[in-house]
Amino acid sequence: MREVAGGAAVLDNGIAGEDAETAAAAERLRTGRWGYRACKRSFDVVFSLIVLVFLSWLYLIIAIAIKLDDPRGPVIFAQTRVGKDGKEFRMYKFRSMVSDAETRLAQLLERNEKTGPVFKMAHDPRVTRVGRILRKVSLDELPQFANVLKGDLSVVGPRPALPREVALYTPRQRQRLLVKQGLTCYWQTRRDRDSITFDEWVDLDLLYIRQCSAWADFKLIVQTVGCVLTAQGN
């Protein structure tokens, strides 16, 4: 047993090796617990519909702001991500970067502030003025409720990774794909998430899989609302 940043206890079965308890928990979710799975999917559909309908005015305001700030690129940025069991899908976000952000990534890789197969920069020069605000209050993620409605994502679950990142995963890291990916997770609600290593991030995702329940989902949603209202995004 060891602790990740912030004191959460996780099993220590090695950084690369699979976690047997996580695998067993994922199998129980796959073959049983139909009541929880049905309730989770029903909540995903109803909640995403509510957001998409009642916040449609906010979607429009954000779209106008993006176009006024940087008219050259699209409002919605679609990117291939990896979901449950390695299935790829197109994930939507409000565009928060310049239109040629993907081509400029290679120039920034040496400035990566994260360990492991993930790229993060606290002050990414590709982020636009409006994009910086959207990220701070996590509003760039709003279009992903369309992904939730389609069934690509759940409201709660590990954040979906890029194919190039998943290609570098160890067997242990790949276990975060054993459940449907989501909009929010333990990592997303941590105040110190920018200082957490990728292996600690994976530990938190595997912890969620082992603790997966309606109560855990509810607490994460409440914590996420708190993060949005206090502008803890990056």
Side-chain angles (χ1 to χ4, degrees):
M1 187 80 69
R2 64 189 177 90
E3 291 186 348
V4 297
V10 297
L11 293 176
D12 189 357
N13 292 334
I15 297 299
E18 291 188 357
D19 184 311
E21 186 176 346
T22 299
E27 182 64 17
R28 286 194 297 271
L29 282 171
R30 188 182 69 83
T31 59
R33 302 189 62 186
W34 61 269
Y36 167 69
R37 287 187 284 113
C39 288
K40 187 177 178 75
R41 179 56 185 157
S42 297
F43 173 82
D44 285 346
V45 171
V46 172
F47 190 67
S48 57
L49 279 173
I50 290 173
V51 171
L52 290 168
V53 172
F54 287 96
L55 291 185
S56 57
W57 59 272
L58 182 57
Y59 282 70
L60 179 60
I61 291 173
I62 293 172
I64 293 172
I66 291 172
K67 272 299 184 182
L68 289 176
D69 185 38
D70 184 11
R72 291 172 297 177
V75 168
I76 298 295
F77 174 67
Q79 188 178 50
T80 300
R81 295 292 180 113
V82 181
K84 184 177 182 291
D85 298 328
K87 182 180 178 181
E88 294 186 357
F89 67 97
R90 296 290 282 175
M91 190 182 81
Y92 311 120
K93 298 181 71 173
F94 278 123
R95 183 171 62 85
S96 60
M97 291 186 173
V98 294
S99 56
D100 62 342
E102 291 291 280
T103 59
R104 291 170 58 179
L105 176 61
Q107 306 167 17
L108 300 172
L109 289 177
E110 62 182 20
R111 296 166 61 185
N112 187 14
E113 297 171 5
K114 280 287 184 187
T115 59
V118 63
F119 179 82
K120 293 284 182 182
M121 277 185 68
H123 303 288
D124 195 320
R126 300 173 298 165
V127 179
T128 64
R129 290 172 298 178
V130 168
R132 194 167 293 111
I133 297 172
L134 293 177
R135 287 178 167 222
K136 192 67 178 174
V137 289
S138 301
L139 291 181
D140 59 317
E141 312 283 0
L142 279 178
Q144 288 165 38
F145 281 102
N147 287 118
V148 175
L149 191 61
K150 290 170 57 181
D152 299 326
L153 296 173
S154 181
V155 173
V156 180
R159 291 295 291 152
L162 294 164
R164 66 170 179 266
E165 296 170 349
V166 174
L168 300 174
Y169 277 4
T170 65
R172 179 184 177 84
Q173 292 166 350
R174 195 170 182 84
Q175 284 186 291
R176 64 193 303 274
L177 304 177
L178 290 174
V179 297
K180 186 178 289 188
Q181 310 295 278
L183 295 182
T184 190
C185 57
Y186 282 137
W187 172 82
Q188 193 87 357
T189 59
R190 293 288 291 269
R191 288 182 178 271
D192 61 344
R193 65 175 179 260
D194 290 337
S195 63
I196 291 176
T197 67
F198 182 67
D199 285 318
E200 289 173 326
W201 182 350
V202 171
D203 284 339
L204 290 170
D205 285 339
L206 301 193
L207 179 66
Y208 170 73
I209 295 173
R210 296 194 297 272
Q211 296 182 344
C212 204
S213 67
W215 178 239
D217 290 349
F218 175 75
K219 288 192 295 183
L220 278 168
I221 291 170
V222 171
Q223 290 168 1
T224 301
V225 172
C227 289
V228 171
L229 293 178
T230 54
Q232 294 179 33
N234 52 23

